[in-house]
Amino acid sequence: QVQLVESGGGLVQAGGSLRLSCVASGRTFNTYAMGWFRQAPGKERDFVAAITWSGGSTYYADSVKGRFTISRDNAKNTVYLQMISLKPEDTDVYYCAALRGVNVRDRDEYAYWGQGTQVTVSS
C-alpha cells in the first residue's frame, strides 16, 4: 500500500514556474515507477510525465517536453515535477501516481493516486 500526497500547486502568471511535490508513505516507494497526470473538469486524466524507480529514465507528454522536468529522491520518498514557461493551457488538477503495470503513459496501469493539487496559470 502506498499513500501519496501532492503539494506545490497554486496560481501563477503565464511564463512563470512552479514545482510540485508528491510525498509517498510506505517502505516500497523506491520500487515503483512514478507518474504525473493532469485533469480538467469534465475531461480525461492525461499523462504528463513519468520516471522509473531508479530515476534512470524519464518520459514526457509532447505538450510539456522541454518545459517540465520530473525527478525523484528515494531517500525522501518524494517525486517532483518542475514546471517552467507555464501556459494557461497547463491549468489543471495535477495528480501523482505509482505505477503497477508496464505502460507509463496509461493511467489504468497505475495502482495508487494522490488527491491532486490545483495549478492555475493566468494569462
Side-chain angles (χ1 to χ4, degrees), residues 17-81:
S17 301
L18 283 174
R19 188 177 80 156
L20 306 183
S21 299
C22 173
V23 179
S25 64
R27 299 179 181 178
T28 59
F29 170 76
N30 61 0
T31 66
Y32 287 93
M34 298 293 295
W36 285 96
F37 287 74
R38 62 186 183 184
Q39 185 174 25
K43 295 189 176 181
E44 293 187 345
R45 191 167 297 187
D46 293 330
F47 171 77
V48 175
I51 187 167
T52 53
W53 69 269
S54 66
S57 295
T58 56
Y59 308 85
Y60 296 95
D62 288 343
S63 59
V64 306
K65 201 172 295 183
R67 299 188 299 121
F68 290 11
T69 303
I70 188 171
S71 62
R72 68 190 296 162
D73 185 339
N74 287 340
K76 296 182 178 180
N77 278 14
T78 303
V79 61
Y80 304 97
L81 186 68

Side-chain angles (χ1 to χ4, degrees), residues 1 3 12 36 38 51 57 60 64 78-79 82 101 107 110 113 119 121:
Q1 186 80 9
Q3 293 184 328
V12 64
W36 285 96
R38 62 186 183 184
I51 187 167
S57 295
Y60 296 95
V64 306
T78 303
V79 61
Q82 178 68 52
R107 61 183 178 270
Y110 287 78
W113 292 85
V119 171
V121 184

Side-chain angles (χ1 to χ4, degrees), residues 1-2 4 32 97-101 107-113:
Q1 186 80 9
V2 177
L4 304 171
Y32 287 93
L99 182 72
R100 174 177 53 195
R107 61 183 178 270
D108 292 334
E109 300 273 302
Y110 287 78
Y112 304 105
W113 292 85

